[in-house]
Amino acid sequence: LFYPPEGTQMDIQSTCAKLYYFDKLRSEEEFHDCVEGRLQRDKHKVEAYEAEFVKAVKRANALVRITMDPLKLKPFEVCGVGVVQSLMRTHTSAPRQPSTGRFDAQPAIIMMRPGLENAVRDLKGFDYVWVLFHFSYACLGEDGSPEVTTTESDAAGSSSAAAASKKAPPVPALPQGWKTMVIPPRDTKLRGVFATRSPHRPNSIGMSCVRLVDVQGLEVHIADHDLLHGTPVLDIKPYLP
């Protein structure tokens, strides 16, 4: 928990059977609860080392950048890097997944944001690329906002979790307009949404492996895709077989 002296190297060895992660303490209340829980004043006399222990926890907390508790995850913003220009304008005109051979191989262009010319350099040497995109056509109501759809099992689970942990910090709500269980095409049983390719997902993020045709400046030409016109692209990565 303490910073090592300058100019020294520390060889830390341990024979412990378990490894515990130090979660990021993001509020004064969390920090206070953590310190009090570790000190255990009712069992020990902590006056001799309390001040140094608090300093050590503050130093350790300053080094932590991640959250290990899923309930403490917070929303974050993502900005698209480009937009798809495609001949497919509706979901019925697009294949269920790219390179299925059941649809004509239609070309498309990913128009990248100005300033990303160097970011697409050397991409031209790959045959296929992964395209991460936003399901912008999914779960939109008449006013363009996400529809609210929940299942009975979701509501019951939320109620029981809230009753079990009254002291738990507020949990940021996931985007609505999706269900934990869906019936995939050509299936008759409910499946967990993470086991399907449904566009109605907690974060509405899709991923497709498409054929790379050419790169011309800010234009990334692709084929054998399933992307609708106007789809925001979040990232492009080379496909390595």
Side-chain angles (χ1 to χ4, degrees), residues 149-165 180:
T149 56
T150 57
T151 62
E152 294 181 358
S153 59
D154 293 340
S158 300
S159 300
S160 60
S165 180
T180 57

PDB file of all heavy atoms in Angstrom, residues 149-165 180:
ATOM      1  N   THR A 149     -39.293  -1.399 -23.027  1.00  0.00           N
ATOM      2  CA  THR A 149     -39.825  -2.751 -23.001  1.00  0.00           C
ATOM      3  C   THR A 149     -39.077  -3.539 -21.959  1.00  0.00           C
ATOM      4  O   THR A 149     -37.854  -3.620 -21.980  1.00  0.00           O
ATOM      5  CB  THR A 149     -39.672  -3.444 -24.373  1.00  0.00           C
ATOM      6  OG1 THR A 149     -38.292  -3.411 -24.739  1.00  0.00           O
ATOM      7  CG2 THR A 149     -40.479  -2.745 -25.445  1.00  0.00           C
ATOM      8  N   THR A 150     -39.809  -4.110 -21.024  1.00  0.00           N
ATOM      9  CA  THR A 150     -39.199  -4.935 -19.989  1.00  0.00           C
ATOM     10  C   THR A 150     -39.983  -6.226 -19.857  1.00  0.00           C
ATOM     11  O   THR A 150     -41.148  -6.316 -20.265  1.00  0.00           O
ATOM     12  CB  THR A 150     -39.187  -4.209 -18.637  1.00  0.00           C
ATOM     13  OG1 THR A 150     -40.535  -3.857 -18.292  1.00  0.00           O
ATOM     14  CG2 THR A 150     -38.352  -2.959 -18.698  1.00  0.00           C
ATOM     15  N   THR A 151     -39.359  -7.234 -19.311  1.00  0.00           N
ATOM     16  CA  THR A 151     -40.007  -8.519 -19.096  1.00  0.00           C
ATOM     17  C   THR A 151     -40.338  -8.675 -17.626  1.00  0.00           C
ATOM     18  O   THR A 151     -39.791  -7.986 -16.772  1.00  0.00           O
ATOM     19  CB  THR A 151     -39.101  -9.673 -19.541  1.00  0.00           C
ATOM     20  OG1 THR A 151     -37.915  -9.633 -18.741  1.00  0.00           O
ATOM     21  CG2 THR A 151     -38.707  -9.512 -21.003  1.00  0.00           C
ATOM     22  N   GLU A 152     -41.254  -9.599 -17.323  1.00  0.00           N
ATOM     23  CA  GLU A 152     -41.626  -9.835 -15.937  1.00  0.00           C
ATOM     24  C   GLU A 152     -40.436 -10.335 -15.132  1.00  0.00           C
ATOM     25  O   GLU A 152     -40.254  -9.976 -13.979  1.00  0.00           O
ATOM     26  CB  GLU A 152     -42.776 -10.845 -15.867  1.00  0.00           C
ATOM     27  CG  GLU A 152     -44.081 -10.318 -16.485  1.00  0.00           C
ATOM     28  CD  GLU A 152     -45.183 -11.330 -16.372  1.00  0.00           C
ATOM     29  OE1 GLU A 152     -44.917 -12.431 -15.851  1.00  0.00           O
ATOM     30  OE2 GLU A 152     -46.319 -11.031 -16.793  1.00  0.00           O
ATOM     31  N   SER A 153     -39.611 -11.177 -15.757  1.00  0.00           N
ATOM     32  CA  SER A 153     -38.445 -11.698 -15.051  1.00  0.00           C
ATOM     33  C   SER A 153     -37.445 -10.582 -14.749  1.00  0.00           C
ATOM     34  O   SER A 153     -36.812 -10.564 -13.698  1.00  0.00           O
ATOM     35  CB  SER A 153     -37.756 -12.780 -15.884  1.00  0.00           C
ATOM     36  OG  SER A 153     -37.351 -12.262 -17.133  1.00  0.00           O
ATOM     37  N   ASP A 154     -37.312  -9.616 -15.657  1.00  0.00           N
ATOM     38  CA  ASP A 154     -36.424  -8.479 -15.415  1.00  0.00           C
ATOM     39  C   ASP A 154     -36.917  -7.662 -14.226  1.00  0.00           C
ATOM     40  O   ASP A 154     -36.140  -7.265 -13.362  1.00  0.00           O
ATOM     41  CB  ASP A 154     -36.354  -7.569 -16.649  1.00  0.00           C
ATOM     42  CG  ASP A 154     -35.679  -8.264 -17.808  1.00  0.00           C
ATOM     43  OD1 ASP A 154     -34.964  -9.237 -17.567  1.00  0.00           O
ATOM     44  OD2 ASP A 154     -35.892  -7.827 -18.952  1.00  0.00           O
ATOM     45  N   ALA A 155     -38.217  -7.402 -14.169  1.00  0.00           N
ATOM     46  CA  ALA A 155     -38.768  -6.604 -13.085  1.00  0.00           C
ATOM     47  C   ALA A 155     -38.626  -7.330 -11.751  1.00  0.00           C
ATOM     48  O   ALA A 155     -38.291  -6.721 -10.736  1.00  0.00           O
ATOM     49  CB  ALA A 155     -40.246  -6.300 -13.367  1.00  0.00           C
ATOM     50  N   ALA A 156     -38.869  -8.630 -11.748  1.00  0.00           N
ATOM     51  CA  ALA A 156     -38.746  -9.393 -10.510  1.00  0.00           C
ATOM     52  C   ALA A 156     -37.310  -9.417 -10.027  1.00  0.00           C
ATOM     53  O   ALA A 156     -37.024  -9.320  -8.836  1.00  0.00           O
ATOM     54  CB  ALA A 156     -39.264 -10.816 -10.719  1.00  0.00           C
ATOM     55  N   GLY A 157     -36.384  -9.561 -10.977  1.00  0.00           N
ATOM     56  CA  GLY A 157     -34.974  -9.587 -10.603  1.00  0.00           C
ATOM     57  C   GLY A 157     -34.519  -8.269 -10.020  1.00  0.00           C
ATOM     58  O   GLY A 157     -33.756  -8.230  -9.056  1.00  0.00           O
ATOM     59  N   SER A 158     -35.010  -7.155 -10.592  1.00  0.00           N
ATOM     60  CA  SER A 158     -34.622  -5.850 -10.084  1.00  0.00           C
ATOM     61  C   SER A 158     -35.167  -5.625  -8.684  1.00  0.00           C
ATOM     62  O   SER A 158     -34.496  -5.063  -7.827  1.00  0.00           O
ATOM     63  CB  SER A 158     -35.130  -4.752 -11.034  1.00  0.00           C
ATOM     64  OG  SER A 158     -34.574  -4.918 -12.321  1.00  0.00           O
ATOM     65  N   SER A 159     -36.407  -6.070  -8.428  1.00  0.00           N
ATOM     66  CA  SER A 159     -37.014  -5.883  -7.124  1.00  0.00           C
ATOM     67  C   SER A 159     -36.288  -6.670  -6.050  1.00  0.00           C
ATOM     68  O   SER A 159     -36.020  -6.169  -4.963  1.00  0.00           O
ATOM     69  CB  SER A 159     -38.493  -6.306  -7.172  1.00  0.00           C
ATOM     70  OG  SER A 159     -39.197  -5.530  -8.110  1.00  0.00           O
ATOM     71  N   SER A 160     -35.952  -7.929  -6.358  1.00  0.00           N
ATOM     72  CA  SER A 160     -35.273  -8.753  -5.376  1.00  0.00           C
ATOM     73  C   SER A 160     -33.871  -8.236  -5.089  1.00  0.00           C
ATOM     74  O   SER A 160     -33.398  -8.276  -3.957  1.00  0.00           O
ATOM     75  CB  SER A 160     -35.193 -10.204  -5.871  1.00  0.00           C
ATOM     76  OG  SER A 160     -34.486 -10.259  -7.100  1.00  0.00           O
ATOM     77  N   ALA A 161     -33.194  -7.734  -6.108  1.00  0.00           N
ATOM     78  CA  ALA A 161     -31.845  -7.200  -5.901  1.00  0.00           C
ATOM     79  C   ALA A 161     -31.881  -5.948  -5.039  1.00  0.00           C
ATOM     80  O   ALA A 161     -31.021  -5.732  -4.182  1.00  0.00           O
ATOM     81  CB  ALA A 161     -31.196  -6.891  -7.257  1.00  0.00           C
ATOM     82  N   ALA A 162     -32.898  -5.102  -5.254  1.00  0.00           N
ATOM     83  CA  ALA A 162     -32.993  -3.888  -4.455  1.00  0.00           C
ATOM     84  C   ALA A 162     -33.299  -4.211  -3.001  1.00  0.00           C
ATOM     85  O   ALA A 162     -32.793  -3.563  -2.088  1.00  0.00           O
ATOM     86  CB  ALA A 162     -34.085  -2.977  -5.040  1.00  0.00           C
ATOM     87  N   ALA A 163     -34.147  -5.224  -2.772  1.00  0.00           N
ATOM     88  CA  ALA A 163     -34.489  -5.587  -1.406  1.00  0.00           C
ATOM     89  C   ALA A 163     -33.314  -6.230  -0.687  1.00  0.00           C
ATOM     90  O   ALA A 163     -33.155  -6.089   0.522  1.00  0.00           O
ATOM     91  CB  ALA A 163     -35.680  -6.548  -1.410  1.00  0.00           C
ATOM     92  N   ALA A 164     -32.469  -6.946  -1.418  1.00  0.00           N
ATOM     93  CA  ALA A 164     -31.354  -7.653  -0.797  1.00  0.00           C
ATOM     94  C   ALA A 164     -30.239  -6.723  -0.378  1.00  0.00           C
ATOM     95  O   ALA A 164     -29.471  -7.022   0.525  1.00  0.00           O
ATOM     96  CB  ALA A 164     -30.814  -8.713  -1.755  1.00  0.00           C
ATOM     97  N   SER A 165     -30.109  -5.590  -1.045  1.00  0.00           N
ATOM     98  CA  SER A 165     -29.001  -4.688  -0.731  1.00  0.00           C
ATOM     99  C   SER A 165     -29.504  -3.256  -0.664  1.00  0.00           C
ATOM    100  O   SER A 165     -29.486  -2.529  -1.644  1.00  0.00           O
ATOM    101  CB  SER A 165     -27.903  -4.818  -1.804  1.00  0.00           C
ATOM    102  OG  SER A 165     -26.836  -3.973  -1.524  1.00  0.00           O
ATOM    103  N   THR A 180     -33.975  -9.354 -22.053  1.00  0.00           N
ATOM    104  CA  THR A 180     -32.907 -10.307 -21.755  1.00  0.00           C
ATOM    105  C   THR A 180     -33.096 -11.617 -22.499  1.00  0.00           C
ATOM    106  O   THR A 180     -32.128 -12.331 -22.752  1.00  0.00           O
ATOM    107  CB  THR A 180     -32.848 -10.594 -20.249  1.00  0.00           C
ATOM    108  OG1 THR A 180     -34.125 -11.086 -19.818  1.00  0.00           O
ATOM    109  CG2 THR A 180     -32.512  -9.319 -19.476  1.00  0.00           C
TER     110      THR A 180
END
